[in-house]
Amino acid sequence: AAGGLRVRSAFRKGLFTDKVAIVTGGGTGIGKAIAQELLYLGCKVMIASRSEEKVRTAAEEMSSLIPTDSPAQVKALQCNIRKEEDVKNLFSTTIGEFGKLDFLVNNAGGQFPSPAAQISLKGWNAVVDTNLNGTFLCCREAYHSWMAENGGVIVNIIADMWKGFPMMSHTGAARAAVDNLTKSLALEWAANGIRINSVAPGSSIYSDTAARNYSATENVFLREVPNIPAKRLGKPEEVCCGFAIILITLFSTGNHLF
Ligand code: ADE
């Protein structure tokens, strides 16, 4: 399509030709913007999501936007990152179809706004299971299926929870845990040539999916605008700037080894 992908990069088109990436939660919001950035850079991208329909529709839409002279490709796979078997299938299918794995972007996650006092055990466990346990399963499978032998790059998308995350204590705790997991894995897997870091978007990043998740308090986003220094909400595409810089830094660091 002449219009091309919605996201353009600060980096050179085609920079990641012949690279292969998995983006979890790649069908919507920040994950979809990241997938488009990677496609712009020439990557082969597997987007994964719990919802088969969402991820398939998103892949068809993105695929139709890839210019005909681009090496980029996008495929979709249903995967609930809470399920070990789904995660194993995601990695074996991606490596089977694209031949290798260079980048893993752990973006899939979810939460609902609630005062901590009102969070049920079931709700707490669901948020921790997706955001922390699911991310751990994906990192571990990336290691065993490909990166232990071949190196690679992992970027975990967390959240700006550094000073606490009121109304989001479950996800704040889970994302802080992922930040620490990131540091442990960076040290444990450094000798395998695995480079790993995290990106923490602010809660002012608006996406339709987030707005729908928060529908009981639909105006949380708009209510925050006066407190945002820029006096406007952020777009998923803006997270890509930080994402791309982290990715390229990790890619460049130690890349000569491979
Ligand atoms: N997005 C939100 N929750 C998810 C899950 N459990 N698996 C994959 N993608 C998701």
Side-chain angles (χ1 to χ4, degrees):
L5 296 154
R6 231 158 35 96
V7 171
R8 292 170 60 184
S9 178
F11 296 96
R12 178 177 56 78
K13 199 174 185 168
L15 181 67
F16 285 148
T17 296
D18 295 328
K19 300 290 177 219
V20 175
I22 289 175
V23 182
T24 65
T28 52
I30 291 171
K32 189 177 179 188
I34 285 174
Q36 291 188 75
E37 170 109 16
L38 290 169
L39 291 169
Y40 178 85
L41 295 172
C43 245
K44 297 183 175 75
V45 182
M46 180 68 84
I47 57 171
S49 168
R50 195 169 41 161
S51 156
E52 165 102 44
E53 196 203 325
K54 250 190 235 165
V55 83
R56 207 153 290 289
T57 309
E60 281 164 17
E61 182 204 323
M62 288 192 260
S63 190
S64 74
L65 297 174
I66 297 172
T68 48
D69 62 349
S70 167
Q73 282 183 56
V74 57
K75 293 187 183 189
L77 197 65
Q78 193 277 335
C79 170
N80 183 346
I81 59 166
R82 300 182 198 179
K83 295 187 177 168
E84 201 169 13
E85 285 316 305
D86 279 18
V87 170
K88 284 182 190 293
N89 180 51
L90 170 62
F91 285 79
S92 62
T93 303
T94 303
I95 294 164
E97 298 206 0
F98 288 142
K100 61 176 182 147
L101 179 64
D102 299 286
F103 310 139
L104 165 63
V105 184
N106 283 307
N107 165 79
Q111 53 276 315
F112 53 90
S114 172
Q118 263 52 276
I119 299 176
S120 67
L121 180 60
K122 185 167 174 250
W124 178 273
N125 283 343
V127 171
V128 172
D129 204 13
T130 301
N131 294 286
L132 175 58
N133 301 350
T135 297
F136 165 70
L137 287 176
C138 289
C139 288
R140 196 189 62 181
E141 197 55 27
Y143 179 89
H144 287 301
S145 65
W146 185 260
M147 292 187 181
E149 291 292 319
N150 305 286
V153 168
I154 300 175
V155 179
N156 294 326
I157 308 299
I158 53 172
D160 178 11
M161 49 49 203
W162 313 105
K163 293 181 175 174
F165 206 165
M167 295 296 284
M168 291 282 188
S169 58
H170 41 19
T171 213
R175 308 304 184 131
V178 171
D179 178 58
N180 195 264
L181 174 67
T182 302
K183 292 169 183 171
S184 296
L185 299 184
L187 297 171
E188 284 195 25
W189 296 348
N192 301 81
I194 300 173
R195 293 89 80 195
I196 169 164
N197 210 332
S198 46
V199 173
S203 57
S204 59
I205 302 297
Y206 177 88
S207 82
D208 290 338
T209 320
R212 230 173 290 121
N213 276 352
Y214 308 161
S215 59
T217 44
E218 183 119 19
N219 286 328
V220 282
F221 276 113
L222 289 179
R223 240 189 289 130
E224 280 312 304
V225 171
N227 302 323
I228 299 170
K231 305 298 172 205
R232 66 169 180 85
L233 297 169
K235 294 182 193 313
E237 290 78 4
E238 288 176 281
V239 177
C240 288
C241 307
F243 163 78
I245 286 167
I246 293 283
L247 180 72
I248 284 165
T249 305
L250 295 173
F251 172 69
S252 308
T253 309
N255 188 44
H256 61 285
L257 299 172
F258 301 101

